[in-house]
Amino acid sequence: MSLSSAPSALPARRIRLYAPCVAAAACCAALAGMSATLHEGRLRTAWNVEEAPCRIVARKTGETFALARVPATVGDRPVAAVRVFYSTNELPASVIWADADEGVTILADVTAASRGANLRIYPVPGDALATPAPADARVRDPTPLWGVARRTGGMDFPRSMDDVRMLETRFDRVPRYFAVADFAGLPATATPVAEGGWVQTGWDRPNHLVDLQTWLLVPADASLRFGLVGTTPAWLLLDGEPVLEHPARRAPDAWTASNDLPFKAGLHRVQVRTACRARIDTALAWKRAGEEAVAADVVMVTGSGLLNGRTEWRDHRIHPYAGVEAGKAYRFAGIEGAFVPFTCVNETTLAQAGPLELTWHMGGAAMGEGPTNTVTLRTTGLPAEMKLAVRAGEEAAEHTAQLTFDGPIWAEYDVTSRMTGIPAVCYPDDVVQPIIRVRTTAPDGTAFALETRVDWCAGGATNITAAVATASGWAQVYLCPFEAAAAASLTWELRHAGAAVSSGKTVFAREPFGVLPDAVSGDTLKAGDDTVVLVAANASRGEPVAAARRGREVALLDGFLASEAGLDESSVPAEWNRLDLRALERREGTAGMTWLVPFAEVKGVLPAATIVYAPSVSEAGLHGGVDAFARRVAAMAGLLSGPACGSPRVILVVPPEFDVLPGCGCVAGESPCSHAAAAGAYAEAIIRVADVYALETVNLYNAFKTLRSADTPFVRDGGLTPQGASMALGLIFKKIRR
């Protein structure tokens, strides 16, 4: 078989392909570095090889052929041979590869051992390092390509590894494991239609994610090129590194080839991830760079993983060891990496009976005591080390377990957090109590921690950490109340297993406002990713601040001047930018409180040298009563006159007394309705705000009362008449020209 010489679909790069397996490296280190200061003792189990000073005890799982690695030296002598025993029976084993740095790797036929039985592996010292057995004499795994197929949701094939990781969370049945002689013998993943099984048409077309694994034996340093073929997408990983991507829907004989990749002699792990419907048609081949024929002497050895087990020294009393089991991994949407729950179990043996004291450590910190320890780690921080300290009387020993993960991701959860309890606009002396609300699809019982920090205007900060327990996916944490003027910002992080899965920040902006909101989210204002609280002034600041810009640009924030019978857009000078506040309040699909929308839409009329602000007196504009109305007008006035808007000249327009208020539902009569009769209080609130910020006003409330007549009404049905609109606009023009 020959491969196409077309360049790889992935960018060319040099990949370190000869890194040893982490689990095997830990096993070797345990053998080579075990302390020899312990007292002599006798093991209860028989020692099968008298000349071996140590052994590795590993539990058989479901494999029929086991791959194991021992260090190149024991004490000060090289390992000349490796023998494997099950009870008193020696099992067939051959040296596959030997290297002074990586150790001696063997393949053993463990068919005779029962599942769960202890396999005892003895490194036998000698005069010279062991040499690999000849190909025709060594133990051979007849099915060295191992795989697993899992049915998953989705009709379309994955187009990237991100799609593969998404489909991992959709597994719906028990995985199917298999072992075959080569890629030509890959099995079907579902029952054919003729046998009443898998359906090939319609919406019932399940995908299967398939993972294939083997170990390649490279007899000498070489540069190899790999190729993938098949009609479905596939990805090749060498020693854990992705090196080749094969797209879907290619011709059955169209190969995708990698670049030439440098290999060090020895064993290298090969993984292929692919997807299929009912049959796996992916194949992999390899050849040496510059050659056309397949490299026949680079062979698959086995699909088994490297065994890892407890190291026992014949002259030691304590033989420390911790078994590690990885649970089902999961991730949170938008967060890099996955989370893996690990359970570490003490499997220490003692040559003589006696109690054991067990302590677990990770990263220099104590993790607990007792026979088991559980920890959830993020894959971005793996591999990690869990140290088990064992003490029996006056004697002590340690074992370091390697925590690694290379399995599927079984679930993906959403998690969000947001701040409530603080109004979007408030006065400095308003007492607020922030509430952090959490929503997640993760199961109740998932451990979260909320870390909050309040930075104070007077300096310093307060940090609080609280555990969060969800009920039906919801939780809320109440923070201590404080005055709005006291805080500069509030930040929070929702953490899981030490990683931030959701975070946010609230900025307490005060005049002169330097922050301009750009969106509304629920009952909050947003500026970028931050929540903004506008702390409006409620005490006079004295003399007006001179406008920073001069010019003819005028922006009109119109909350009541226009009406069906009154002022229309054609009456507004062309150089004015008009923002219809009432239209914003009525806009459908607004994601939040409609009365907050104008704060986020101000940016649409900037820049402006002069801003005329006529607050809305509709039902939405008057939401919350006079006090809430005054706060919103104060916040808007401070925002408009501050540096966030360029410090323009700001003119407030005081609304007149209407016969009815827009949206109140009353019928206009000879006298104002009860809602409109309260207009005087709202007019006074606007005048107070103008005094606080030293802003100019156009007082239509007084003007219309002074100039009104029965023949020329200025208001009708909750809006200005054409005469009223004309008068209002004339007064505004006059004020602007001053």
Side-chain angles (χ1 to χ4, degrees):
M1 184 184 297
S2 63
L3 303 183
S4 168
S5 58
S8 169
L10 298 181
R13 58 177 177 160
R14 184 179 180 88
I15 301 173
R16 186 173 182 266
L17 296 170
Y18 44 85
C21 174
V22 174
C27 187
C28 294
L31 268 171
M34 179 66 70
S35 168
T37 61
L38 301 181
H39 296 168
E40 291 186 3
R42 291 188 177 276
L43 294 176
R44 296 177 181 176
T45 55
W47 199 267
N48 302 97
V49 182
E50 291 296 328
E51 62 269 31
C54 59
R55 66 185 179 188
I56 298 174
V57 179
R59 185 166 295 144
K60 179 187 174 180
T61 53
E63 70 278 353
T64 54
F65 287 83
L67 202 62
R69 183 173 292 164
V70 300
T73 59
V74 176
D76 57 356
R77 300 182 65 191
V79 173
V82 180
R83 300 174 66 183
V84 180
F85 282 80
Y86 162 54
S87 185
T88 59
N89 301 319
E90 184 168 5
L91 303 179
S94 297
V95 174
I96 301 299
W97 189 253
D99 182 274
D101 296 325
E102 295 186 6
V104 179
T105 304
I106 64 163
L107 180 67
D109 184 347
V110 295
T111 307
S114 58
R115 187 183 182 91
N118 283 334
L119 303 174
R120 295 192 288 275
I121 305 166
Y122 293 86
V124 182
D127 297 329
L129 185 65
T131 58
D136 58 353
R138 66 180 177 226
V139 171
R140 179 178 174 274
D141 185 349
T143 54
L145 181 60
W146 292 20
V148 57
R150 300 178 177 92
R151 196 173 79 169
T152 183
M155 291 183 60
D156 298 326
F157 285 133
R159 292 176 292 181
S160 65
M161 285 298 289
D162 287 338
D163 288 349
V164 171
R165 286 185 281 269
M166 182 273 293
L167 289 174
E168 283 180 340
T169 66
R170 308 294 194 266
F171 293 153
D172 69 348
R173 61 170 52 185
V174 176
R176 177 184 177 185
Y177 295 92
F178 55 87
V180 294
D182 51 36
F183 286 90
L186 292 174
T189 57
T191 306
V193 178
E195 300 176 21
W198 181 74
V199 179
Q200 297 188 30
T201 58
W203 289 92
D204 187 13
R205 300 177 59 191
N207 273 328
H208 289 78
L209 287 184
V210 180
D211 289 289
L212 305 172
Q213 174 174 295
T214 190
W215 290 82
L216 280 186
L217 177 59
V218 181
D221 293 356
S223 182
L224 299 179
R225 174 175 295 189
F226 287 80
L228 285 169
V229 71
T231 60
T232 59
W235 292 265
L236 172 65
L237 294 86
L238 300 176
D239 290 327
E241 293 285 343
V243 298
L244 181 60
E245 177 180 354
H246 177 72
R249 298 178 180 85
R250 298 201 68 185
D253 58 349
W255 289 85
T256 301
S258 72
N259 298 305
D260 295 336
L261 304 171
F263 275 78
K264 184 181 179 182
L267 280 173
H268 298 272
R269 188 183 182 198
V270 176
Q271 296 167 281
V272 176
R273 306 207 73 182
T274 185
C276 68
R277 297 289 190 209
R279 184 168 297 279
I280 310 168
D281 67 354
T282 300
L284 175 70
W286 49 89
K287 66 178 184 178
R288 284 185 171 80
E291 297 181 1
E292 289 298 321
V294 170
D297 61 338
V298 178
V299 298
M300 294 187 292
V301 174
T302 186
S304 169
L306 282 164
L307 286 177
N308 195 9
R310 176 179 65 252
T311 302
E312 297 180 346
W313 291 80
R314 193 168 187 179
D315 58 351
H316 289 181
R317 180 188 176 201
I318 303 177
H319 308 282
Y321 184 70
V324 178
E325 180 179 351
K328 289 188 174 182
Y330 54 91
R331 63 169 175 257
F332 290 95
I335 305 300
E336 182 185 1
F339 296 85
V340 187
F342 289 97
T343 300
C344 301
V345 180
N346 171 58
E347 296 182 14
T348 300
T349 59
L350 201 60
Q352 298 173 354
L356 291 176
E357 297 179 19
L358 306 169
T359 309
W360 303 88
H361 301 267
M362 176 173 282
M367 299 292 292
E369 299 178 350
T372 62
N373 185 62
T374 58
V375 63
T376 298
L377 299 179
R378 196 175 172 190
T379 53
T380 54
L382 298 179
E385 294 183 343
M386 177 72 75
K387 182 179 291 186
L388 172 62
V390 182
R391 177 173 291 277
E394 298 299 321
E395 301 177 80
E398 292 181 346
H399 171 76
T400 300
Q402 297 288 328
L403 307 185
T404 63
F405 181 76
D406 193 23
I409 312 301
W410 288 89
E412 180 176 276
Y413 304 126
D414 293 312
V415 61
T416 58
S417 61
R418 63 189 301 266
M419 185 213 68
T420 61
I422 302 179
V425 295
C426 56
Y427 285 146
D429 54 358
D430 286 341
V431 176
V432 298
Q433 183 175 27
I435 305 170
I436 308 298
R437 290 184 174 168
V438 177
R439 174 73 176 104
T440 180
T441 58
D444 289 344
T446 303
F448 294 102
L450 181 67
E451 296 182 0
T452 58
R453 173 188 173 98
V454 181
D455 289 283
W456 305 107
C457 294
T462 299
N463 296 282
I464 301 174
T465 300
V468 177
T470 60
S472 300
W474 292 90
Q476 56 187 16
V477 178
Y478 290 81
L479 304 183
C480 295
F482 54 83
E483 288 190 352
S489 65
L490 185 155
T491 56
W492 71 89
E493 280 190 346
L494 185 68
R495 305 184 72 84
H496 173 70
V501 294
S502 182
S503 61
K505 180 178 182 180
T506 296
V507 176
F508 292 82
R510 49 188 45 81
E511 63 95 15
F513 291 107
V515 177
L516 188 63
D518 55 22
V520 179
S521 176
D523 57 355
T524 62
L525 291 169
K526 304 285 286 188
D529 294 331
D530 297 340
T531 300
V532 177
V533 175
L534 300 177
V535 184
N538 61 348
S540 177
R541 67 182 187 183
E543 295 298 321
V545 177
R549 296 181 304 192
R550 294 299 182 189
R552 299 183 60 189
E553 301 87 354
V554 177
L556 173 61
L557 275 61
D558 182 10
F560 63 86
L561 295 175
S563 66
E564 294 181 1
L567 178 67
D568 57 31
E569 293 189 15
S570 63
S571 303
V572 179
E575 65 269 21
W576 286 24
N577 292 321
R578 177 172 174 268
L579 184 64
D580 190 340
L581 300 184
R582 288 197 298 178
L584 294 178
E585 293 165 356
R586 294 193 299 265
R587 188 169 64 187
E588 295 183 2
T590 301
M593 299 291 187
T594 55
W595 51 266
L596 288 178
V597 176
F599 290 96
E601 297 294 335
V602 167
K603 60 184 182 299
V605 296
L606 299 177
T610 301
I611 297 180
V612 178
Y613 176 35
S616 171
V617 290
S618 67
E619 182 182 18
L622 300 180
H623 174 80
V626 176
D627 288 342
F629 175 79
R631 283 169 168 78
R632 290 197 297 276
V633 173
M636 181 64 81
L639 188 69
L640 297 176
S641 60
C645 292
S647 301
R649 179 188 182 188
V650 176
I651 300 172
L652 292 183
V653 181
V654 182
E657 182 182 60
F658 290 96
D659 49 358
V660 294
L661 290 184
C664 73
C666 299
V667 178
E670 293 184 1
S671 59
C673 73
S674 60
H675 306 94
Y682 292 100
E684 291 177 3
I686 296 175
I687 293 172
R688 288 198 303 271
V689 170
D691 177 65
V692 168
Y693 286 96
L695 301 178
E696 302 169 82
T697 62
V698 173
N699 193 333
L700 299 184
Y701 188 86
N702 290 340
F704 280 23
K705 280 185 174 294
T706 302
L707 300 174
R708 68 182 176 182
S709 68
D711 297 331
T712 56
F714 295 142
V715 297
R716 182 183 296 119
D717 296 329
L720 300 183
T721 65
Q723 296 86 352
S726 177
M727 177 174 287
L729 199 58
L731 293 174
I732 293 171
F733 285 158
K734 184 177 180 180
K735 178 68 71 172
I736 290 175
R737 286 194 293 267
R738 286 183 182 177

